[in-house]
């Protein structure tokens, strides 16, 4: 009986092997009938998926428990550790995102800061994307010549030098608006406006791009609401009793239409104040804070993106842009 049982088991195993072999041969035959171009290609699927990704859905808002990573209106506050830089860059390169970087180098500021600003931007600002620098100056012939990287260009635009530094700061808003309308919007998707007395120190990449981008002021990001230096003069168009955050006018950006709207708002407020013999406490920065109070930014940059080298660095893991040493006594006109 045992010998018969062993024979039956052997026959059963042979039958199983025959079925498996036949099934494998049949599947190979079916696959051979399908044209190769009809089969899915992994790289094509990945590329399509990347284009459809909402990048901000990939942000890790819990990565930085010690700081605020999202506003009350759900706008992200970008900190190191929250984003995948390779994913952001890949998506924006695929979208062919392009960025204008505006900077004003007027009077002594050109010699003191412009070359450092531009050379450091070449090392760190929006690498891999098309970037156009717009340098506004009263001394076009003194703008340093730089060897720029691929997809990067520089345009120099002559502007008037005002007698007071406050007017230079405030009147840039009209120049920015006019240049967006006449040129930038035809060449770039995004525009960032920065002060020249700064230096890039680390990656300042595509994770910073958004519809309307505001910079949290490094000197006030831990400060209580009552100490924020809004303009509290009711006679000024920049008047605010309270706000959300205190934003720094040394850096703002976004899509062209949003930056133009901000610049127009600030310029109109400045001009109305002038007519009423009023000047906002912190000039264009006061008007910028009023704009972002009325029109909430869709993206906030943490102080990593504009650091002052003086404030407490407890929560700062990376410094991407720093304020250069200030020499107001020799650089500014009264």
């Amino acid at each position: 009986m045992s010998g018969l049982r062993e024979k039956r088991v052997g026959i059963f195993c042979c039958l199983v092997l025959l079925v498996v072999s036949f099934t494998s041969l049949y599947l190979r035959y079916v696959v051979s009938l399908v044209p190769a171009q009809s089969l899915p290609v992994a790289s094509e699927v990945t590329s399509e998926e990347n284009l459809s990704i909402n990048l901000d859905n990939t942000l890790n808002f819990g990565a930085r428990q010690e700081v605020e990573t999202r506003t009350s209106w759900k706008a992200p506050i970008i900190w190191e550790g929250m984003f995948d830089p390779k994913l952001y860059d890949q998506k924006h390169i695929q979208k062919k995102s392009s960025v204008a970087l505006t900077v004003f180098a007027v009077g002594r500021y050109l010699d003191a800061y412009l070359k450092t600003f531009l050379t450091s931007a070449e090392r760190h600002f929006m690498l891999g994307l098309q970037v156009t620098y717009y340098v506004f100056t009263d001394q076009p012939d003194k703008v340093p010549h730089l060897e720029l990287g691929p997809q990067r260009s520089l345009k120099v635009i002559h502007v008037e030098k005002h007698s007071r530094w406050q007017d230079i700061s405030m009147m840039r808003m009209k120049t920015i608006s006019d240049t967006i309308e006449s040129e930038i919007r035809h060449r770039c998707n995004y525009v960032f406006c920065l002060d020249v007395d700064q230096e890039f120190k680390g990656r300042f990449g595509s994770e910073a791009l958004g519809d309307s981008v505001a910079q949290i002021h490094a000197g006030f990001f831990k400060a209580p609401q009552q100490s924020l230096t809004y303009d509290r003069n009711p006679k000024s168009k920049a008047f605010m009793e309270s706000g959300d955050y205190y934003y720094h006018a040394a850096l703002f950006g976004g899509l062209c239409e949003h930056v133009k709207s901000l610049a127009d708002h600030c310029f109109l407020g400045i001009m109305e104040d002038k007519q009423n013999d009023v000047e906002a406490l912190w000039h264009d920065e006061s008007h910028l804070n009023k704009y972002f109070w009325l029109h909430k930014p869709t993206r906030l940059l943490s102080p990593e993106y504009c650091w002052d080298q003086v404030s407490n660095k407890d929560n700062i893991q990376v410094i991407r842009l720093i304020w250069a040493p200030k020499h107001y006594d020799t650089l500014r006109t009264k």
Side-chain angles (χ1 to χ4, degrees):
M1 291 294 291
S2 62
L4 180 61
R5 187 180 298 111
E6 289 176 356
K7 286 182 180 179
R8 287 176 177 174
V9 170
I11 292 170
F12 176 76
C13 290
C14 289
L15 288 172
V16 169
L17 287 172
L18 285 171
V19 170
V20 170
S21 299
F22 175 77
T23 302
S24 175
L25 289 170
Y26 179 74
L27 289 174
R28 289 181 185 179
Y29 169 73
V30 170
V31 169
S32 71
L33 297 177
V34 181
Q37 59 269 30
S38 299
L39 296 173
V41 179
S43 61
E44 290 179 358
V45 174
T46 302
S47 178
E48 283 188 18
E49 288 175 350
N50 280 343
L51 284 171
S52 64
I53 289 173
N54 180 341
L55 285 171
D56 285 353
N57 288 341
T58 71
L59 290 171
N60 184 355
F61 291 100
R64 299 292 300 273
Q65 295 290 329
E66 76 281 14
V67 292
E68 189 177 7
T69 58
R70 186 152 35 188
T71 70
S72 61
W73 61 95
K74 305 304 181 185
I77 305 173
I78 307 300
W79 292 88
E80 174 69 9
M82 287 178 56
F83 59 90
D84 180 343
K86 291 183 179 179
L87 181 61
Y88 269 84
D89 288 348
Q90 183 181 24
K91 176 70 176 288
H92 280 283
I93 289 171
Q94 289 174 340
K95 288 174 60 181
K96 298 184 178 179
S97 297
S98 52
V99 186
L101 175 54
T102 72
V103 64
F104 285 72
V106 178
R108 300 181 184 125
Y109 277 70
L110 189 152
D111 289 331
Y113 299 117
L114 183 59
K115 186 173 182 179
T116 297
F117 178 88
L118 292 173
T119 54
S120 66
E122 277 295 282
R123 292 193 296 270
H124 301 295
F125 182 77
M126 301 294 170
L127 300 185
L129 301 186
Q130 178 185 320
V131 172
T132 304
Y133 301 106
Y134 287 87
V135 177
F136 300 96
T137 182
D138 59 328
Q139 307 166 84
D141 57 322
K142 294 185 68 176
V143 173
H145 174 75
L146 300 176
E147 292 294 330
L148 303 178
Q151 300 189 84
R152 301 171 86 87
S153 59
L154 185 149
K155 181 164 185 177
V156 179
I157 298 177
H158 183 268
V159 292
E160 177 186 354
K161 180 184 177 183
H162 296 275
S163 57
R164 298 189 316 143
W165 69 265
Q166 294 93 332
D167 292 322
I168 295 171
S169 176
M170 291 188 290
M171 296 306 290
R172 69 173 175 150
M173 290 298 185
K174 183 178 189 312
T175 303
I176 289 170
S177 175
D178 290 347
T179 308
I180 290 173
E181 179 62 30
S182 65
E183 180 164 342
I184 293 175
R185 69 185 183 90
H186 303 292
R187 300 185 58 176
C188 300
N189 311 119
Y190 299 92
V191 55
F192 270 73
C193 308
L194 274 70
D195 283 357
V196 72
D197 51 349
Q198 302 180 101
E199 181 179 357
F200 292 92
K201 288 292 189 179
R203 172 191 167 89
F204 196 115
S206 57
E207 75 282 352
L209 297 175
D211 290 358
S212 177
V213 182
Q215 172 66 53
I216 297 176
H217 199 297
F220 295 98
F221 85 103
K222 289 184 175 181
Q225 178 72 213
Q226 62 270 21
S227 69
L228 303 183
T229 57
Y230 302 125
D231 189 305
R232 292 186 167 86
N233 176 7
K235 294 180 180 179
S236 172
K237 294 296 291 182
F239 168 69
M240 295 173 62
E241 291 184 345
S242 63
D244 302 307
Y245 304 88
Y246 190 80
Y247 302 113
H248 199 172
L251 191 166
F252 57 93
L255 292 171
C256 288
E257 57 266 32
H258 288 281
V259 178
K260 186 179 188 307
S261 175
L262 182 155
D264 287 341
H265 170 94
C266 293
F267 176 67
L268 291 173
I270 290 166
M271 295 310 294
E272 188 166 335
D273 276 0
K274 281 183 174 292
Q275 290 176 355
N276 296 323
D277 199 25
V278 175
E279 191 167 283
L281 178 63
W282 290 109
H283 318 109
D284 57 336
E285 186 166 274
S286 296
H287 291 277
L288 176 139
N289 272 273
K290 180 66 173 284
Y291 177 86
F292 281 135
W293 168 244
L294 298 173
H295 310 277
K296 307 298 188 194
T298 62
R299 194 174 210 78
L300 281 67
L301 301 182
S302 71
E304 296 171 355
Y305 288 83
C306 191
W307 187 246
D308 65 0
Q309 303 189 73
V310 176
S311 300
N312 189 311
K313 288 178 61 178
D314 285 350
N315 302 127
I316 306 300
Q317 296 182 2
V318 174
I319 295 176
R320 307 180 189 278
L321 180 75
I322 58 169
W323 306 2
K326 313 298 183 184
H327 305 290
Y328 294 145
D329 54 334
T330 59
L331 292 172
R332 284 180 171 176
T333 54
K334 301 298 184 183

